[in-house]
Every structure is written in structure tokens, then in C-alpha cells.
Amino acid sequence: MAKSRINLSLDPDTKERLKMYAWENHASVSKAVTDLVWAAKVKNSQVRGQTSLDIREKRNREKEGPQRHSS
């Protein structure tokens, strides 16, 4: 999936806290924000314009890589 840029306005303390969170979790700031957003509960988890919600399953499959089948 292609990534796109977004600008956020944060006060200096929040910016430093986000950078510290990312550092402590061995992640980039972008990855930290992504993880926090996906961990947050939302009222309507369906993405605008999407007819089915398979996003989390798809993301998990992408993270896991190819599945190995035992014989």
C-alpha cells in the first residue's frame, strides 16, 4: 500500500513525548503513529468507501509474510 504524507501540529511537549515513545519502541515516528492509530478503538471501523472490512486481517498477513504449510 502506498504511503502518503500528512502534517500534524503538535505542541513541543507532545512532539518530544511522541519521539520518546517511538524510540522506546524501536520504531520510527511514522510507525509509532500508525501503531497508535490502529490500536485505538473507533465507533465505525469501516474505512470510507470500503465495502468490507478486511484491513486488519490483510495487515496481519502482510506482517507475517508467506504462510508455511506443514505436510
Side-chain angles (χ1 to χ4, degrees), residues 24-36:
E24 289 175 353
N25 288 281
H26 308 284
S28 65
V29 171
S30 178
K31 173 101 170 74
V33 170
T34 299
D35 291 347
L36 290 167

Side-chain angles (χ1 to χ4, degrees):
M1 175 180 273
K3 294 185 178 186
S4 61
R5 287 186 177 263
I6 184 170
N7 292 321
L8 298 173
S9 297
L10 304 172
D11 62 67
D13 289 340
T14 302
K15 175 186 166 188
E16 288 306 312
R17 187 175 176 103
L18 176 58
K19 288 170 71 174
M20 183 58 70
Y21 177 87
W23 182 80
E24 289 175 353
N25 288 281
H26 308 284
S28 65
V29 171
S30 178
K31 173 101 170 74
V33 170
T34 299
D35 291 347
L36 290 167
V37 167
W38 282 99
K41 292 190 176 203
V42 294
K43 290 181 182 177
N44 183 5
S45 58
Q46 193 165 3
V47 175
R48 287 184 283 167
Q50 185 176 342
T51 57
S52 66
L53 184 62
D54 293 326
I55 292 175
R56 286 207 174 170
E57 292 175 14
K58 182 179 178 183
R59 287 175 59 87
N60 289 337
R61 284 193 303 265
E62 289 172 355
K63 286 181 185 177
E64 294 170 359
Q67 295 291 322
R68 293 184 185 179
H69 297 285
S70 57
S71 303

